[in-house]
Amino acid sequence: RESVQKLFELCPRVMCLRLLHLLAARTASWLHRMDAALDWLPVEGGQCLYRIGDSPVGFFIVLSGRLVAMEEKHDGRRKGPQPGRPAARTQWQVSDVLQRGRLCGE
């Protein structure tokens, strides 16, 4: 174990590439099966994947870019239109930013 750690310290790039090559060779068939079983969903900016209360349809994995989870902002005021005032616009706040590799919707 110590000798492997020493190799990673001396030449991290080479060791990481060798490790990735080894892992890819050992998991290639599994990765192909996973790829065939997944539905790929490209998401455009501003697109909503799901809302609180929606029936679950699975989960999402961020492969590239990022997803921003938004929640309706509650300020304690009464909901609904008030007489003599225009309807207020919905206020949103960021609750989480999901980077590559993160899961959501589960």
Side-chain angles (χ1 to χ4, degrees):
R1 178 181 172 147
E2 289 178 17
S3 59
V4 172
Q5 288 177 336
K6 187 67 171 174
L7 285 171
F8 269 102
E9 290 172 8
L10 293 174
C11 46
R13 186 171 189 274
V14 171
M15 289 303 294
C16 285
L17 289 173
R18 286 186 180 169
L19 182 61
L20 286 173
H21 179 70
L22 177 66
L23 287 172
R26 301 241 185 235
T27 60
S29 64
W30 178 82
L31 289 172
H32 286 293
R33 288 194 307 270
M34 286 300 295
D35 181 32
L38 295 174
D39 291 327
W40 296 89
L41 177 66
V43 178
E44 297 292 325
Q47 183 178 348
C48 180
L49 291 176
Y50 62 90
R51 296 182 187 281
I52 293 175
D54 286 354
S55 297
V57 294
F59 63 92
F60 302 93
I61 304 171
V62 180
L63 295 178
S64 66
R66 66 180 181 198
L67 290 175
V68 177
M70 307 287 290
E71 289 181 342
E72 190 172 350
K73 186 175 181 179
H74 299 286
D75 59 6
R77 288 189 280 171
R78 190 180 82 146
K79 295 253 181 203
Q82 297 178 354
R85 292 184 149 181
R89 293 183 51 182
T90 302
Q91 298 286 319
W92 296 94
Q93 64 187 15
V94 174
S95 63
D96 200 0
V97 177
L98 307 168
Q99 301 288 346
R100 184 177 64 182
R102 293 276 307 270
L103 300 174
C104 68
E106 65 275 356

